[in-house]
Amino acid sequence: MNLKYNSEGLIPAIIQDATTKNVLMLGYMNDAAFKKTQETKKVTFYSRSKQRLWTKGEESGNFLNFVDVKVDCDHDTLLIQANPEGPTCHKGSDTCWGDENTSNFGFISKLEATIEARRTNSNPEDSYVASLFSKGINKLAQKVGEEAVEVVIEAKDDNDELFLNESADLLFHYLMLLQAKGFKLEDIETVLKNREKK
């Protein structure tokens, strides 16, 4: 691997959670730290303050277990994917930016937040979401069943637009049903991850 180290013999290493894809921290590696990371499968940096190799977690036990590495187009920055054991930041937070290292499903996570806000803050007369929640779990479950049947019907036809629209309706109402039961998509992800291990 042809890496371009800076004048101090270091290369920045962005650490990303291999599963959630959240950025956890930024550190620096020299050639020895990079090789040790690959050999031990524990992310190791060159500590500029300690002037030595430093394996993340060597004192705290909060190791970063190496999964993969990518090099940027200029070969002067590393993207290290790792599985963290505990918080990454020395101040105790999941990331060095103070963020929680939770799954983020992009627009779907934003949609979950919108559903929650409308469920808790909107008048049922002004919001479809609030009105459906006000009718109770049975109505929500019934709606998910209706949307599932419509997806099956459209799957048998050749109209892709209708199939995708019905699929979107099903997902939207399923997210509401999950919240009515006190769950989010992240909880389903956890179940699926546990099944993968078996």
Side-chain angles (χ1 to χ4, degrees):
M1 193 175 289
N2 182 25
L3 301 180
K4 294 180 183 175
Y5 295 93
N6 66 18
S7 59
E8 298 172 305
L10 302 176
I11 189 168
I14 300 163
I15 310 303
Q16 180 185 46
D17 186 297
T19 303
T20 67
K21 305 306 180 193
N22 292 324
V23 174
L24 304 175
M25 66 172 291
L26 169 70
Y28 290 88
M29 294 181 171
N30 60 10
D31 188 55
F34 183 65
K35 287 177 179 171
K36 185 174 180 183
T37 294
Q38 292 182 307
E39 289 167 6
T40 66
K41 304 302 182 192
K42 302 287 184 192
V43 177
T44 300
F45 301 99
Y46 179 79
S47 171
R48 294 170 295 171
S49 58
K50 298 173 185 176
Q51 293 288 301
R52 65 171 178 84
L53 294 186
W54 166 68
T55 299
K56 174 74 179 87
E58 66 185 28
E59 295 173 9
S60 67
N62 297 327
F63 293 101
L64 293 169
N65 298 307
F66 175 80
V67 174
D68 194 16
V69 61
K70 295 180 181 179
V71 182
D72 78 334
C73 57
D74 293 323
H75 295 268
D76 62 2
T77 304
L78 300 173
L79 178 63
I80 305 278
Q81 293 186 333
N83 291 319
E85 292 182 26
T88 298
C89 183
H90 68 283
K91 293 186 176 181
S93 59
D94 288 349
T95 77
C96 289
W97 289 268
D99 297 326
E100 285 187 37
N101 185 22
T102 56
S103 293
N104 186 327
F105 302 102
F107 177 76
I108 300 297
S109 293
K110 181 181 174 186
L111 183 58
E112 282 187 310
T114 300
I115 289 169
E116 186 173 357
R118 290 189 182 160
R119 176 175 64 93
T120 56
N121 301 324
S122 297
N123 186 325
E125 296 175 5
D126 301 326
S127 164
Y128 172 75
V129 170
S131 70
L132 205 50
F133 273 103
S134 72
K135 293 175 183 172
I137 191 79
N138 288 343
K139 184 62 178 174
L140 271 167
Q142 178 186 342
K143 190 66 179 166
V144 170
E146 290 170 4
E147 296 299 342
V149 169
E150 290 176 12
V151 167
V152 171
I153 291 169
E154 293 305 331
K156 295 178 166 225
D157 290 334
D158 293 328
N159 189 324
D160 291 344
E161 184 178 353
L162 283 177
F163 172 72
L164 289 174
N165 276 294
E166 293 301 342
S167 297
D169 288 347
L170 174 59
L171 180 57
F172 179 73
H173 289 92
Y174 178 63
L175 292 174
M176 286 199 290
L177 183 60
L178 278 175
Q179 285 196 31
K181 295 291 290 178
F183 299 111
K184 291 197 171 181
L185 202 54
E186 186 177 352
D187 298 299
I188 303 305
E189 179 191 43
T190 300
V191 172
L192 293 171
K193 282 181 186 174
N194 290 337
R195 288 181 183 175
E196 181 185 38
K197 295 174 186 175
K198 294 179 181 177

